[in-house]
Amino acid sequence: SQQGEEDPQALSIQEGENATMNCSYKTSINNLQWYRQNSGRGLVHLILIRSNEREKHSGRLRVTLDTSKKSSSLLITASRAADTASYFCATWALTGNTPLVFGKGTRLSVIA
Amino acid sequence: DAGVIQSPRHEVTEMGQEVTLRCKPISGHDYLFWYRQTMMRGLELLIYFNNNVPIDDSGMPEDRFSAKMPNASFSTLKIQPSEPRDSAVYFCASSLASGRTDTQYFGPGTRLTVL
């Protein structure tokens, strides 16, 4: 399975601190995506990084990708209470029809 | 655009009853995905369509589950008969024709409770 696995499963930090979440996967990928899910809501796309990219930024988000280690990290800087949510990584396989596969997520709590 | 629309938002039914979940994808999106989310198993892909044609239904748990997409703007996921273990949140998502590898836009989900 190419399923991504996020680490840690849960993370609790103080407002203003940085939050780092990691994702590992098993097969070669076309791209890796990060999504956020607020409680009781659908997933919202945050950022996509392609296999030939190593780092990408979007506002307070920074994503890195290391294809040699089959891993990615999501950094949220200067966290806010509103960042409290579950964060999922998802991967598209490089070949075949295998669709986007999601990990089980990291639950982030930002305490004001 | 209103985004992906799902109905109903909540469904409570009794074991053995038929359940139909509905989804309207974002206009112009050619890919539609049905997911199921539970605490135990996380987010699982059930089936996805491209241009209204089912491409991969290997995630459909058993014959009690069926999905259709009669046109580009509507899809249903049906469970007949329903069982308590089907209780979950069911999400529909869509993406552009530019690639199945692109961003997916999720609906708000249908929370299904089977008693």
Side-chain angles (χ1 to χ4, degrees):
Chain A
S1 167
Q2 70 178 76
Q3 185 175 34
E5 292 186 9
E6 292 89 345
D7 169 58
Q9 290 187 337
L11 180 61
S12 184
I13 60 174
Q14 296 290 324
E15 203 167 31
E17 294 180 340
N18 295 341
T20 299
M21 288 158 271
N22 303 297
C23 170
S24 60
Y25 57 92
K26 296 178 181 175
T27 62
S28 297
I29 60 170
N30 176 291
N31 67 63
L32 185 144
Q33 304 178 28
W34 284 91
Y35 287 77
R36 182 187 72 217
Q37 183 179 33
N38 289 88
S39 181
R41 303 283 187 93
L43 279 73
V44 175
H45 180 261
L46 294 176
I47 196 164
L48 180 154
I49 186 165
R50 302 194 186 280
S51 60
N52 60 352
E53 298 176 309
R54 291 297 168 258
E55 188 171 312
K56 207 162 182 181
H57 296 256
S58 176
R60 293 184 296 111
L61 305 180
R62 173 179 166 243
V63 170
T64 61
L65 179 65
D66 187 334
T67 53
S68 66
K69 294 181 179 178
K70 291 186 169 58
S71 67
S72 173
S73 67
L74 171 68
L75 169 67
I76 303 173
T77 60
S79 64
R80 306 166 182 169
D83 295 328
T84 295
S86 290
Y87 293 81
F88 296 85
C89 71
T91 52
W92 276 112
L94 186 61
T95 58
N97 253 344
T98 308
L100 198 63
V101 178
F102 286 83
K104 292 197 173 180
T106 292
R107 187 187 304 272
L108 173 66
S109 297
V110 181
I111 303 166
Chain B
D1 200 315
V4 176
I5 298 172
Q6 291 188 248
S7 65
R9 293 293 311 276
H10 301 274
E11 177 81 30
V12 180
T13 189
E14 293 192 346
M15 183 174 63
Q17 297 297 307
E18 178 180 295
V19 175
T20 299
L21 311 181
R22 297 172 176 79
C23 175
K24 176 178 168 54
I26 293 173
S27 177
H29 283 194
D30 282 3
Y31 287 87
L32 184 139
F33 307 82
W34 281 102
Y35 292 91
R36 177 173 68 177
Q37 186 177 39
T38 61
M39 288 295 291
M40 289 294 293
R41 300 174 69 94
L43 194 65
E44 302 172 279
L45 177 71
L46 300 177
I47 185 172
Y48 78 97
F49 295 82
N50 179 23
N51 291 321
N52 314 337
V53 176
I55 303 300
D56 185 348
D57 65 354
S58 59
M60 297 286 261
E62 42 196 282
D63 292 346
R64 298 184 297 106
F65 286 69
S66 63
K68 294 182 179 179
M69 192 164 185
N71 57 62
S73 59
F74 183 66
S75 177
T76 60
L77 178 68
K78 188 174 291 187
I79 308 172
Q80 166 64 19
S82 58
E83 297 182 3
R85 59 192 168 122
D86 301 330
S87 297
V89 181
Y90 291 81
F91 289 102
C92 175
S94 68
S95 66
L96 283 166
S98 60
R100 63 183 181 86
T101 60
D102 216 323
T103 301
Q104 292 189 13
Y105 296 82
F106 281 75
T110 295
R111 182 174 296 276
L112 173 65
T113 303
V114 183
L115 303 174

